Structure formats: structure tokens, C-alpha cells
């Protein structure tokens, strides 16, 4: 049976990095609400126009918009292993996910909690660079592109995300502690804690052994 996994953790904990590895190596499909929202902003869709100011301030986009987005996405998805990356982030979103999965006849297998301290999050996010062409993620120190500032995969110049500025990062961390952390209790025994401060292959080994 296809697996369903939620990645829960602060901004910059490495959820996107690990989702990419699982997509490449274990044929998971990654559903990242952050990536979907950034696409919507780039394409100036009605959702993107509404979401932009929340994202720029490091606030959560309203639940109704996010739930609708995930609902639409799930309609067309094949029966494959799925990682929800950065969703749910509130109790209301978690309740909506429960009903969506039930409707689809799927069960939630595990919630991977990425554990990392706030100072390391700030180091990771302030050094993060992303490729506007293909979405590849780098870090100026931990994982730099091979050729200066240029994506290894598609040779586009890498850039800093608009919300990776220090004051916005601090808001995102605060929002995580106040609005998303309560999900740890909500999911209870389904939560598996992973030490996300390790290097990316060690984190991957731990997650893949759980899955
Ligand atoms: P989103 O894009 O989901 O951002 P996030 O949760 O803040 O997570 P990030 O993408 O910043 O970090 P990550 O954990 O994926 O880390 P990464 O792998 O890149 O959301 C953005 C915004 O959209 C939100 O603020 C909100 O406004 C809105 N939004 C999204 N979903 C929403 C929802 N459900 N409800 C409401 N609003 C929503 O790694 C970070 C850096 O560290 C990289 O440079 C990477 O190379 C490096 N790195 C990764 N792993 C390691 C490692 N093991 N060792 C060293 N470096 C590492």
C-alpha cells in the first residue's frame, strides 16, 4: 500500500532537502505547500496575489486557502507514496488532512519531526540559495554549487528567497513555535523525532530506515 508521510519541523530544518532525496531514491511524490505557493506568486494567480503578503512577512497563509490548494492537488494524484512537506501547519489543517485522507482511503503512516535549534535554522536559512530555474536548493557553506553561484543542474544563477531575510526568518520561527508545534501533541504516537542537525546523508539514513 502507498505510504503517506508528513514532514513537520521549523523553517530551514531540511524538509525540502530530504523530500528531494526521497523523491529521487524512493520514488515518493513531494507535496510542498511552500513550493506551490511560490509558483502561484510567480504566476500571479489569484491565490498567489492573496498569499504574497503573508509569505513576505513570514506569516502563515490562511487555512482555507491552503486546504483548498491541497484538496485540488490530491484530486489528480496517482496512488503513490506521498510526502506532505510543510503541510499541515495548524490543527485546522491537520483535521482537514485527516478527512481528505479518509476520503481517499489512505492512512497516515508517520509524522517525521525534524528537531533542530533556532540558531542553526538561522545559519541554514541565511546561507540558503535556490535555483529559480529548477528549484534546486544550495547553501553557501554546507552545500555550495560546484561553479560559483550557478545551479549544477541547469546552470541558472542561484538566488536568495525573499523570505530568507533575518527579520522574516525570526518571524517564521516564532510562528512555527506558536502555531505548528501543537501538532506534535495532535499526532502523538505517530511522531518520529529525527535529529535534523546532522549532515544530510545521516538524516536521510534515519528517515529511510523509519519508512
Ligand atoms: P516553506 O517553503 O514551506 O518554508 P519553511 O517551512 O519555512 O521551510 P523551508 O523551505 O524554509 O525549509 P526546509 O525545512 O525545506 O529546509 P531546506 O531543505 O530548504 O513555506 C514558506 C512560506 O509559505 C511560509 O512562511 C508560509 O507563509 C507559507 N506556507 C507554506 N506552507 C504553508 C501552510 N501549510 N500553511 C500556511 N502557510 C504556508 O534547507 C535549508 C537550508 O539548509 C538549505 O540551504 C540546505 O542546503 C541546508 N541544509 C539542509 N539540510 C542540511 C543538513 N542536514 N546539513 C546542513 N545543511 C543542510
Amino acid at each position: 500500500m502507498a505510504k503517506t508521510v508528513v514532514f513537520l519541523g521549523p523553517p530551514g530544518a531540511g524538509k525540502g532537502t530530504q523530500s528531494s532525496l526521497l523523491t529521487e531514491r524512493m520514488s515518493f511524490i513531494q507535496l510542498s505547500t511552500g513550493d506551490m505557493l511560490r509558483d502561484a506568486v510567480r504566476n500571479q494567480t489569484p491565490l498567489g496575489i492573496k498569499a504574497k503578503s503573508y509569505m513576505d512577512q513570514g506569516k502563515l497563509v490562511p487555512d482555507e486557502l491552503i486546504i483548498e490548494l491541497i484538496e485540488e492537488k490530491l484530486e489528480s494524484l496517482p496512488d503513490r507514496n506521498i510526502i506532505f512537506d510543510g503541510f499541515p501547519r495548524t490543527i485546522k489543517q491537520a483535521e482537514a488532512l485527516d478527512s481528505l485522507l479518509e476520503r481517499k482511503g489512505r492512512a497516515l503512516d508517520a509524522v517525521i519531526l525534524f528537531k533542530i535549534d533556532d540558531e542553526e535554522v538561522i545559519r541554514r536559512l541565511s546561507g540558503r540559495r535556490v535555483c529559480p530555474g529548477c528549484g534546486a536548493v544550495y547553501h553557501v557553506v554546507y552545500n555550495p554549487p560546484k561553479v560559483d553561484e550557478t545551479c549544477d543542474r541547469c546552470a541558472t544563477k542561484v538566488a536568495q528567497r525573499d523570505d530568507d531575510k533575518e527579520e522574516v526568518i525570526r518571524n517564521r520561527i516564532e510562528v512555527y513555535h506558536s502555531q505548528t508545534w501543537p501538532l506534535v501533541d495532535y499526532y502523538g504516537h505517530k511522531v518520529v523525532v529525527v535529529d535534523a542537525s546532522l549532515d544530510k546523508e545521516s538524516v536521510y539514513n534515519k528517515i529511510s530506515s523509519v519508512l
Side-chain angles (χ1 to χ4, degrees), residues 75-133:
E75 282 307 321
S76 56
L77 270 188
D79 191 22
R80 296 245 317 265
N81 296 338
I82 299 180
I83 305 164
F84 288 97
D85 166 10
F87 172 86
R89 292 197 194 202
T90 62
I91 300 283
K92 197 163 168 202
Q93 292 181 20
E95 290 169 346
L97 179 61
D98 287 345
S99 357
L100 286 173
L101 291 178
E102 198 181 326
R103 244 192 279 157
K104 283 260 162 199
R106 295 180 74 118
L108 180 58
D109 294 286
V111 175
I112 307 288
L113 175 63
F114 287 64
K115 200 157 179 284
I116 189 162
D117 65 43
D118 293 352
E119 290 315 307
E120 178 62 10
V121 160
I122 293 168
R123 269 192 292 278
R124 285 190 182 179
L125 291 184
S126 45
R128 173 164 61 185
R129 298 293 180 271
V130 290
C131 172

Side-chain angles (χ1 to χ4, degrees), residues 11-12 14-17 33 38 59 86 89 93 128 138 172 198:
K15 305 179 297 295
T17 300
T33 40
R38 279 183 289 280
K59 291 183 180 164
R89 292 197 194 202
Q93 292 181 20
R128 173 164 61 185
Y138 300 92
R172 288 160 65 200
L198 301 174

Side-chain angles (χ1 to χ4, degrees), residues 9-17 32-35 37-38 54-55 58-61 66 85-89 93 120 124-125 127-129 137-139 142-143 161 163-164 172 196 198-200 203:
K15 305 179 297 295
T17 300
S32 156
T33 40
D35 287 347
L37 289 168
R38 279 183 289 280
Y54 294 96
M55 297 172 77
K59 291 183 180 164
L60 292 185
V61 173
I66 297 291
D85 166 10
F87 172 86
R89 292 197 194 202
Q93 292 181 20
E120 178 62 10
R124 285 190 182 179
L125 291 184
R128 173 164 61 185
R129 298 293 180 271
V137 176
Y138 300 92
H139 188 280
Y142 302 138
N143 177 30
R161 248 169 63 173
D163 58 350
D164 280 347
R172 288 160 65 200
L198 301 174
D199 65 274
K200 75 174 181 181
V203 178

Side-chain angles (χ1 to χ4, degrees), residues 36-203:
M36 291 180 220
L37 289 168
R38 279 183 289 280
D39 275 350
V41 170
R42 209 172 303 121
N43 295 322
Q44 300 200 332
T45 67
L47 167 67
I49 293 165
K50 285 185 204 149
K52 189 174 184 326
S53 67
Y54 294 96
M55 297 172 77
D56 285 348
Q57 295 172 70
K59 291 183 180 164
L60 292 185
V61 173
D63 287 334
E64 310 76 70
L65 298 177
I66 297 291
I67 293 166
E68 201 181 314
L69 180 68
I70 285 286
E71 214 162 2
E72 270 171 29
K73 201 75 188 178
L74 276 181
E75 282 307 321
S76 56
L77 270 188
D79 191 22
R80 296 245 317 265
N81 296 338
I82 299 180
I83 305 164
F84 288 97
D85 166 10
F87 172 86
R89 292 197 194 202
T90 62
I91 300 283
K92 197 163 168 202
Q93 292 181 20
E95 290 169 346
L97 179 61
D98 287 345
S99 357
L100 286 173
L101 291 178
E102 198 181 326
R103 244 192 279 157
K104 283 260 162 199
R106 295 180 74 118
L108 180 58
D109 294 286
V111 175
I112 307 288
L113 175 63
F114 287 64
K115 200 157 179 284
I116 189 162
D117 65 43
D118 293 352
E119 290 315 307
E120 178 62 10
V121 160
I122 293 168
R123 269 192 292 278
R124 285 190 182 179
L125 291 184
S126 45
R128 173 164 61 185
R129 298 293 180 271
V130 290
C131 172
C134 70
V137 176
Y138 300 92
H139 188 280
V140 290
V141 176
Y142 302 138
N143 177 30
K146 292 192 183 79
V147 179
D148 234 13
E149 310 245 316
T150 304
C151 178
D152 297 346
R153 287 199 214 149
C154 69
T156 307
K157 194 170 166 19
V158 298
Q160 191 165 32
R161 248 169 63 173
D162 287 345
D163 58 350
D164 280 347
K165 300 182 190 93
E166 185 153 345
E167 67 281 10
V168 184
I169 295 172
R170 290 199 184 272
N171 281 346
R172 288 160 65 200
I173 293 174
E174 216 177 287
V175 164
Y176 171 74
H177 289 302
S178 61
Q179 299 189 52
T180 305
W181 180 256
L183 292 179
V184 174
D185 272 347
Y186 180 87
Y187 283 123
H189 70 276
K190 291 216 162 129
V191 174
V192 179
V193 181
V194 167
D195 181 355
S197 66
L198 301 174
D199 65 274
K200 75 174 181 181
E201 288 301 327
S202 306
V203 178

